[in-house]
Amino acid sequence: MPTRRNQVDLAALFTPKLITVLREGYGLDAFRADVIAGLTVAIIALPLSMAIAIASGVPPERGLYTAIVGGFLVSALGGSRFQIGGPAGAFIVLVFATVQTHGIDGLILATFLSGFILLAIGFLWLGTFIKYVPYPVTVGFTSGIAVVILASQIRDFLGLILSGPEPGPFIPKLQALATALPTVNKASLALAIGVVAVILGLRRVRPHWPGFLIAVALATCVAWVSGLPVETIGTRFGGIPQMLPAPHLPALSLEKIVAVLPSALSFALLGGIESLLSAVVADSMTGRRHRSNCELVAQGIANIGSALFGGICVTGTIARTAANVRAGSRGPVSGMLHALFLLAFMLIAAPLARFIPLAALAAILVVVAWNMAEKHQFGALLRSSGGDAAVLLVTFLLVVFRDLTEGILVGFGLGALLFLHRMSEMVRVEHGMASIADRPDNGEQPYAPDIATDDDIVVYRISGAFFFGAASAVAAALDRIGGQPKAYVIDISAVSFLDSTAASTIEGFVRKAGRHGAGLYLVGASQPMHRLLRTHGLHAPQVRFYGSLEEATAAARRAIATA
């Protein structure tokens, strides 16, 4: 049974940071700081949430529902002090594909199910494993998503008129857009370029100003006053509601659940990675530490809540979280206030949203995509090593031309194989024996044949991680031992890890040695290694365990002398 201390530690791991902050003491000064930070982030999130929703193939209000409901729950229940939850650009590809295949009802159900998957991942403490996603995979899928987002905004950025629905796959999409190039709307193009120029200009001269909102507001005023012939939220969607819808369960059926389950798994995987990356960024900016499994539980609850109100996928958003930290946030209250400010904006200013040009929102996502594309990191990985470059390019190309989930899984698998190959190459098998007294503390003095004891005793040292990836190489090295020695001494004190495949390799060598009457002496086995080897049937007299080379060789000489 778990002890009281273990129960306390477990409770602490899943305690929301909001409770931690309140226990530490939360005063009026901290509240004022959080009000300013929350308002700052809400101003950034307002146009961005609508733009992400539109790019994902759903009405703009669903992006606001996601930011309001999901953002509030992420901050209230999460394991990070500064995390801001909401719709993210990384989900655009997956959400759009899900809507195309299963419709909006299927998207809501997939979001709902992804929440339960994230809950399971968090409660099973699997959040710690997400950090093992290789860096080239992260850069590859982030850059790939940026390219896909950029392609998805060409239509509204240029104001193109397509002859049919815009294709989802990358190549057909570009072909359809190229065919529609003669229909470029010069007014839309001018507005979009103007929005990009305002955002970049403000970022240079007034970096703390809400560039997204200012640029969209200016573009909306220009389009309305001048009567420009551009498509707006009102002309395509008829505006946005002034209130949240009543919560309701998505349509549930076994057939529908099975159909959308792959999308739900993709949402959960990407949401977990994105949210924990965002929490790590916040930690690096503040010196704090987040609780990864608590954060995943909060993300799960937030996705369930978002789906109940008709929202889309929720995750931690790196840019908005960083803006929250820079705006002076003191804790999760700022994230909760950001959601409440968005709700107030929707209640008060919803009628004005119908005038926002879609070209302006497309321009925002073009800037977001440009910022997402990790250009410097991409170039550095291409130059670093052939293996890392291969993982990067495979992930990137699969995300762009095939599927985001496929890109992540294949990239992760390739990265894991690359890691195993590199680890297997670090395992060394050295022949000879050096006296322990002559060896430095780090044990790095090499073994050499000229310091072996005699022809009757062969001494080998194995160093590194002795696991399944290196087992064949070690077995080949042992098989190359010449002559018919009467004893084998194998020093495994420098083996950092030994698995069942390695134990089976040693067992096979023991059988081979036993066929011509030679004994095997193992030196330096740790207690876990000792137990594993015994589990595989390596007992005396076939194998004898010693703590030092001197003891093992002395025992081998005595056995040979009395044989």
Side-chain angles (χ1 to χ4, degrees), residues 22-166:
L22 295 178
R23 284 174 178 170
E24 292 173 351
Y26 187 77
L28 187 59
D29 289 341
F31 180 73
R32 288 196 193 99
D34 281 338
V35 168
I36 295 172
L39 180 60
T40 302
V41 178
I43 290 172
I44 295 171
L46 180 63
L48 194 55
S49 298
M50 292 189 291
I52 290 172
I54 293 171
S56 301
V58 299
E61 65 268 17
R62 294 190 184 271
L64 293 176
Y65 300 160
T66 307
I68 292 168
V69 178
F72 186 89
L73 292 173
V74 164
S75 295
L77 305 175
S80 171
R81 290 176 183 254
F82 307 103
Q83 185 83 281
I84 298 295
F91 278 94
I92 289 175
V93 181
L94 285 176
V95 173
F96 185 85
T98 304
V99 172
Q100 294 291 307
T101 306
H102 304 289
I104 291 182
D105 289 342
L107 167 66
I108 301 302
L109 178 57
T111 302
F112 186 71
L113 295 176
S114 73
F116 287 99
I117 295 171
L118 282 166
L119 281 175
I121 292 173
F123 282 128
L124 292 174
W125 292 25
L126 300 179
T128 53
F129 292 100
I130 292 179
K131 66 186 178 183
Y132 296 126
V133 176
Y135 182 62
V137 174
T138 303
V139 174
F141 87 73
T142 302
S143 300
I145 289 168
V147 171
V148 175
I149 292 174
L150 189 64
S152 71
Q153 298 311 299
I154 294 175
R155 174 189 174 188
D156 289 334
F157 194 94
L158 301 178
L160 300 178
I161 300 175
L162 301 181
S163 57
E166 183 175 348

Side-chain angles (χ1 to χ4, degrees), residues 284-475:
S284 67
M285 295 177 69
T286 62
R288 299 284 186 173
R289 291 184 62 188
H290 72 280
R291 297 167 183 150
S292 58
N293 291 299
C294 178
E295 182 63 28
L296 291 177
V297 169
Q299 296 288 339
I301 295 173
N303 275 278
I304 294 171
S306 176
L308 292 176
F309 283 88
I312 59 177
C313 308
V314 181
T315 188
T317 56
I318 295 175
R320 276 160 274 174
T321 298
N324 186 41
V325 173
R326 286 194 292 265
S329 170
R330 300 291 184 86
V333 174
S334 64
M336 298 162 65
L337 289 173
H338 130 270
L340 296 178
F341 281 127
L342 283 175
L343 178 60
F345 292 157
M346 191 175 74
L347 295 176
I348 297 169
L352 300 177
R354 60 189 296 267
F355 298 106
I356 297 176
L358 295 182
L361 297 180
I364 286 178
L365 286 181
V366 166
V367 175
V368 169
W370 179 257
N371 292 334
M372 280 181 65
E374 302 186 51
K375 301 170 286 295
H376 299 298
Q377 296 89 334
F378 199 99
L381 285 170
L382 285 178
R383 297 188 299 270
S384 61
S385 71
D388 286 339
V391 173
L392 172 73
L393 290 174
V394 166
T395 304
F396 175 78
L397 294 174
L398 285 175
V399 167
V400 173
F401 295 102
R402 290 282 298 175
D403 175 73
L404 176 63
T405 307
E406 185 177 332
I408 294 175
L409 293 177
V410 173
F412 181 81
L414 189 59
L417 290 175
L418 178 63
F419 169 77
L420 293 175
H421 174 68
R422 287 170 173 170
M423 289 296 294
S424 67
E425 288 188 328
M426 294 177 65
V427 177
R428 293 182 297 175
V429 180
E430 298 164 294
H431 176 213
M433 184 189 75
S435 170
I436 290 179
D438 296 334
R439 278 189 279 170
D441 291 339
N442 60 13
E444 288 300 320
Q445 180 172 326
Y447 282 24
D450 58 351
I451 53 176
T453 51
D454 55 57
D455 293 337
D456 288 333
I457 301 175
V458 172
V459 180
Y460 272 79
R461 179 175 70 171
I462 303 173
S463 58
F466 189 5
F467 69 112
F468 62 89
S472 60
V474 173

